Amino acid sequence: MRIFGKGRHRPSASWRQATDRAFTLIGDGRYEDAGELLTRAADLEPWLSESWFNLALLHKFRHDWEQARAAGLRAVALLDREAGAPDWWNVGIAATALQDWPLARRAWQAYGLKVPGGATVATEPVGMELGSAAVRLSPEGEAEVVWGRRLDPARIEVLSIPLPSSGRRWGEVVLHDGVPHGERTTSTGHAYPVFDEIELWAPSPVPTWVVLLEAATEADRDALEQLAADAGFAAEDWSSSVRLLCRMCSESRMPSDEGEGVHLDPHDHSEPGHPGPLGHRTDGQLWVPERECGVAAPASLVRGLLDGWVADSPDSRDWRDLEEVC
């Protein structure tokens, strides 16, 4: 990532050297040292929008949103084009993090997006109809890609039930970056971008539980998921929805439903024959009755939900080992 000037004047060699070294340091996680160099570059070429764009990027990486907003505004003030500049996208992310909704609206509009209500409304930019997307939670740690609903260009509401290792819950809203890293495609051919989480924007009060189910058929499993959805919460069969992927696979264009049934997904790095997060594949069986399931529901409801599911078909359903995990 190197941002060099293309505008009115060619930046100095000193500016280029400081900027190049700064992004090398950023790649090594040395943000403080990089900040000193990018500040020096901005002092050398304060008229260059890229000087402030780079500083805004650094502050975004550090989650210093006040500084990111300030540097971003200086960058857009020096732009020589009216719409579509990535500088405005960074301003929009910083404004969203700070809940500065008038500025967020202005940024998305300046980037070229249609925002209901205009740039002067002081409320969240709802109704942008951006659809579904996937988000990579904890991208620098035990990354996990989950499905969600885009609330605006910088926020996704998590609709999957994340594994406890991510530290995230169903229903949380996460701030995400603007450049997708990978895609997930469905059996219908639709492709959905995978965005990287930046940070948690709004927590969820709903805990995550793990439970072992005995579900004789897929229809029995589906009935629990529907029962939870009807109650306003969620259940997810982790035994079939979870794949372990290497980083290269995760950041590529991946079908979201590979590995079901007896098909051996060459990108799936889990162990065959084991239900749960390490068992997307089976050992040749079309259905394994024992399922590891995630449930997102309040403590006051979760046992009643499971008991009600069993009561509807006691000969083909059972549950055990319920545990709150996040």
Side-chain angles (χ1 to χ4, degrees):
M1 190 187 321
R2 278 116 171 115
I3 310 299
F4 297 135
K6 300 178 182 178
R8 292 157 294 188
H9 302 285
R10 188 176 183 85
S12 66
S14 296
W15 184 94
R16 289 170 172 269
Q17 291 170 359
T19 301
D20 185 78
R21 176 58 179 161
F23 278 103
T24 298
L25 293 172
I26 287 173
D28 294 335
R30 295 171 58 184
Y31 293 150
E32 292 297 328
D33 294 335
E36 293 179 7
L37 288 171
L38 290 179
T39 299
R40 185 189 308 167
D43 289 339
L44 289 169
E45 308 284 8
W47 47 266
L48 194 65
S49 64
E50 285 89 341
S51 295
W52 304 104
F53 175 79
N54 294 340
L55 271 172
L57 273 182
L58 172 67
H59 294 313
K60 181 182 72 172
F61 297 150
R62 297 173 62 186
H63 303 180
D64 186 341
W65 300 116
E66 293 283 358
Q67 292 292 336
R69 176 174 59 181
L73 287 173
R74 294 198 66 167
V76 297
L78 294 166
L79 289 175
D80 55 7
R81 55 175 166 155
E82 294 184 357
D87 309 66
W88 278 114
W89 197 281
N90 284 332
V91 170
I93 292 175
T96 301
L98 295 169
Q99 301 186 44
D100 183 348
W101 300 123
L103 179 58
R105 288 172 169 274
R106 176 187 167 203
W108 304 137
Q109 282 191 325
Y111 187 77
L113 302 177
K114 184 178 180 181
V115 184
T120 60
V121 179
T123 56
E124 297 180 38
V126 296
M128 295 187 71
E129 299 182 357
L130 298 177
S132 299
V135 60
R136 182 175 290 103
L137 305 175
S138 304
E140 301 304 322
E142 294 188 29
E144 177 183 0
V145 174
V146 298
W147 289 100
R149 178 173 65 96
R150 297 188 72 187
L151 304 180
D152 58 37
R155 292 181 300 158
I156 290 180
E157 179 186 9
V158 175
L159 299 182
S160 300
I161 302 178
L163 296 174
S165 58
S166 73
R168 296 286 177 259
R169 290 176 167 182
W170 170 85
E172 291 187 325
V173 177
V174 297
L175 193 72
H176 68 81
D177 219 336
V179 179
H181 284 158
E183 287 185 337
R184 294 297 181 268
T185 60
T186 64
S187 58
T188 60
H190 292 294
Y192 297 90
V194 180
F195 296 100
D196 284 348
E197 174 195 8
I198 298 176
E199 67 180 16
L200 178 64
W201 191 86
S204 170
V206 181
T208 302
W209 307 80
V210 63
V211 62
L212 286 179
L213 304 180
E214 286 291 333
T217 66
E218 291 183 66
D220 288 308
R221 182 274 315 277
D222 294 345
L224 176 60
E225 293 182 350
Q226 187 60 53
L227 193 65
D230 291 344
F233 299 100
E236 182 177 328
D237 180 8
W238 284 341
S239 295
S240 61
S241 68
V242 174
R243 280 184 293 171
L244 296 184
L245 301 176
C246 68
R247 187 181 187 93
M248 183 178 295
C249 292
S250 179
E251 295 183 355
S252 65
R253 182 183 176 93
M254 293 291 298
S256 63
D257 56 350
E258 282 190 359
E260 296 294 341
V262 298
H263 175 70
L264 296 184
D265 176 3
H267 302 285
D268 189 336
H269 305 292
S270 58
E271 294 296 325
H274 301 284
L278 297 181
H280 187 68
R281 301 174 292 182
T282 71
D283 56 0
Q285 303 176 60
L286 291 177
W287 182 254
V288 177
E290 184 177 86
R291 320 297 296 176
E292 187 172 64
C293 183
V295 181
S300 59
L301 177 68
V302 62
R303 288 175 176 80
L305 194 69
L306 291 165
D307 286 340
W309 171 70
V310 171
D312 287 339
S313 183
D315 293 334
S316 62
R317 303 173 187 174
D318 199 4
W319 67 270
R320 70 179 192 277
D321 298 341
L322 178 69
E323 180 184 1
E324 183 177 346
V325 291
C326 185

